[in-house]
Amino acid sequence: MVGGERRIADAHLRMRVAADYERRPLQKAAATTSEAPQWGLRFVFHFLMNSIETNISKKLAELGVADAAGLAPLFAEVHARFDAEATVATDEGSWKLFRDAWLGRKAGVLTLITDNWLKPASPELKRVVGAALNELRGHVEAKIEERRVAIEVGAENAAARDSVDLSLPGVVRPIGSRHLVRQVFQEIEDIFVSIGFSVVEGPEIETPYYNFEALNIPEHHPVRDDMDTFYLELPKGAGSPLLLRTHTSPVQIRTMEKTQPPVRVIVPGKVYRRDNPDATHSFAFHQIEGLAVDSDITFCDFTGTIEYFVTQFFGVGVKTRFRPSYFPFTEPSVEFDVSCPFCGGSGTAAGGGTCAKCKGAGWIELFGAGMVDPAVYGFVNYDAKKVSGFAFGIGIDRLAMLKYGIDDIQVFFQNDVRFLRQFP
Ligand code: PHE
């Protein structure tokens, strides 16, 4: 009997120790390398053991129990003890100890009850003990199974949480591509950056001062009529009127206000005009402004730079020419043309007939430009006697349409993927 009692005590103790390890995982190593703490605990445990171990190792007669009334508290105590221990079985290791302590064939609690309480009992008492023992066994087995399932599910969840299956194919996130307009911007930026220009940007909402006045376009100048303009509705009492910039030229002023010559910048950006949409007009479109100002920039530098750009963009075969034009902020002003890249400037299509791109002219109008008007320098405190320079404003949409054979500007703004995917 003493041996049986000892084994149960050991099984319960091992459970306790296991559970204790789980709560203090950092001490695990120390505790497993030394047996001392276990023995200490075991000693304490032995003395603190409540009466159940003693009870189940004694016969009912020894315990002075002779009827059902005396039996009930004994079984109640075993029940309570079992339920308390069930909560400590939280992983596979402690669950096994728990199961063996209660169902172990040689020294499990149920075996001891069978051996010590049931078998030696008088026939009358045997029926009562048998019934109570069956009830206990049902409870113990169900609960132990329930703990097993709970631990297994918990472990599976934890495993699923902690593991990453590196063999799974990754999530494919389509990253899209640059819009054709952006691609053309990039192409033009690269060309100018390669000859010493830097890229700057400015606001799309401007004051009339930057959009017009400082560009030598005073309030009632007729050229303003060419730029049907979006003005913003502002609250009463607001300071300056505001508008959507009609061109990127205001950034010329903003740049020169901030920087002393030499200045060499290009300015990509969106611009807005109250144009009705058709195949060649849109209320929003794109420009790249260019500005070079230094102490000795000549008209020759100007046309040479433009020629370089055009041949880089369209190919070495194309020629450029310029015609006189007018802008209030350049003097002289010109309009640059390029020999038609499609018919080689002949005006005749490859299969005979008129070239549809240049309409037989052999030339295509490209963009406006000119030498910076000295009046503009007055607005930015440059000394007009000491500096000179040139400026140009390239319409990107038009250029992209030309280069890629697109005949409707609206496709740039519709974001139809069937169009966009043609320019990955
Ligand atoms: N800003 C002018 C326009 O939008 C183009 C331009 C820019 C002309 C720079 C000359 C110099 O029409």
Side-chain angles (χ1 to χ4, degrees):
M1 285 312 114
V2 169
E5 181 185 335
R6 178 64 187 278
R7 277 197 296 277
I8 291 181
D10 283 354
H12 287 285
L13 177 69
R14 282 199 298 278
M15 263 186 63
R16 280 287 166 80
V17 171
D20 209 33
Y21 282 174
E22 195 175 61
R23 280 194 297 278
R24 294 182 288 119
L26 285 180
Q27 293 174 21
K28 209 170 188 167
T32 44
T33 49
S34 157
E35 285 291 295
Q38 269 205 40
W39 281 111
L41 255 180
R42 187 168 295 191
F43 183 72
V44 172
F45 192 69
H46 232 59
F47 278 90
L48 294 184
M49 287 283 282
N50 69 29
S51 51
I52 163 181
E53 274 81 15
T54 329
N55 288 345
I56 59 175
S57 56
K58 288 186 176 141
K59 299 190 173 68
L60 291 176
E62 287 174 81
L63 293 166
V65 173
D67 54 13
L71 208 54
L74 283 185
F75 271 99
E77 198 183 2
V78 175
H79 248 276
R81 178 61 180 264
F82 172 78
D83 288 344
E85 287 187 1
T87 62
V88 185
T90 50
D91 62 11
E92 203 188 325
S94 57
W95 175 83
K96 275 190 177 148
L97 292 172
F98 173 56
R99 180 199 56 192
D100 294 347
W102 288 86
L103 295 178
R105 275 208 296 131
K106 275 196 180 149
V109 172
L110 295 187
T111 302
L112 289 176
I113 291 178
T114 308
D115 290 350
N116 296 331
W117 292 0
L118 182 70
K119 285 182 182 163
S122 63
E124 311 86 67
L125 201 53
K126 218 173 214 166
R127 275 194 303 112
V128 191
V129 176
L133 183 56
N134 276 344
E135 193 269 325
L136 176 65
R137 183 180 297 280
H139 178 68
V140 164
E141 284 173 353
K143 189 76 183 175
I144 283 175
E145 174 62 6
E146 181 193 304
R147 292 305 308 151
R148 187 189 65 75
V149 172
I151 289 165
E152 203 171 272
V153 170
E156 267 166 21
N157 285 347
R161 235 185 0 258
D162 296 347
S163 72
V164 174
D165 184 350
L166 296 176
S167 69
L168 281 174
V171 178
V172 179
R173 298 182 206 280
I175 53 167
S177 59
R178 290 208 175 99
H179 192 281
L180 182 58
V181 168
R182 186 60 240 165
Q183 292 181 32
V184 174
F185 267 139
Q186 190 72 54
E187 225 176 308
I188 297 174
E189 286 167 19
D190 288 347
I191 295 170
F192 280 104
V193 165
S194 76
I195 53 172
F197 283 71
S198 37
V199 181
V200 297
E201 291 187 330
E204 290 177 23
I205 295 176
E206 268 297 6
T207 60
Y209 177 77
Y210 284 107
N211 198 76
F212 296 124
E213 274 106 84
L215 288 163
N216 203 27
I217 315 174
E219 190 159 358
H220 298 291
H221 197 289
V223 83
R224 287 205 191 191
D225 295 346
D226 294 345
M227 302 186 181
D228 287 332
T229 308
F230 290 113
Y231 282 89
L232 272 68
E233 256 177 45
L234 296 175
K236 272 203 179 64
S240 165
L242 292 175
L243 52 97
L244 298 182
R245 67 180 177 193
T246 60
H247 50 180
T248 42
S249 302
V251 191
Q252 288 189 32
I253 306 300
R254 290 183 175 276
T255 305
M256 288 190 281
E257 276 182 348
K258 275 187 255 163
T259 337
Q260 287 303 305
V263 168
R264 267 188 292 272
V265 292
I266 48 168
V267 187
K270 277 199 180 72
V271 301
Y272 303 85
R273 292 183 201 176
R274 250 190 54 214
D275 284 338
N276 288 321
D278 62 22
T280 54
H281 293 87
S282 163
F283 58 82
F285 55 103
H286 304 85
Q287 290 188 331
I288 273 195
E289 192 81 8
L291 175 70
V293 180
D294 205 345
S295 47
D296 50 8
I297 289 187
T298 64
F299 196 86
C300 228
D301 297 321
F302 168 42
T303 54
T305 305
I306 299 299
E307 231 164 76
Y308 174 78
F309 160 67
V310 169
T311 52
Q312 288 294 302
F313 189 78
F314 285 108
V316 278
V318 300
K319 293 189 191 65
T320 49
R321 73 174 187 191
F322 57 84
R323 295 169 287 117
S325 184
Y326 173 75
F327 301 100
F329 40 94
T330 48
E331 180 61 32
S333 302
V334 301
E335 204 73 49
F336 267 96
D337 294 344
V338 61
S339 62
C340 179
F342 301 97
C343 62
S346 67
T348 312
T354 322
C355 171
K357 299 291 178 186
C358 63
K359 313 226 157 46
W363 293 92
I364 290 175
E365 197 182 308
L366 266 194
F367 55 86
M371 299 302 285
V372 177
D373 192 309
V376 172
Y377 296 131
F379 288 95
V380 296
N381 290 324
Y382 278 12
D383 185 344
K385 290 195 192 72
K386 291 196 179 137
V387 296
S388 58
F390 61 84
F392 54 87
I394 306 175
I396 300 303
D397 312 78
R398 204 178 129 64
L399 217 61
M401 288 166 75
L402 253 184
K403 182 160 178 175
Y404 294 97
I406 295 159
D407 49 20
D408 185 358
I409 193 175
Q410 302 303 326
V411 296
F412 289 145
F413 306 99
Q414 286 161 348
N415 280 337
D416 185 331
V417 290
R418 289 169 300 179
F419 168 72
L420 299 175
R421 283 196 183 127
Q422 294 176 58
F423 307 97

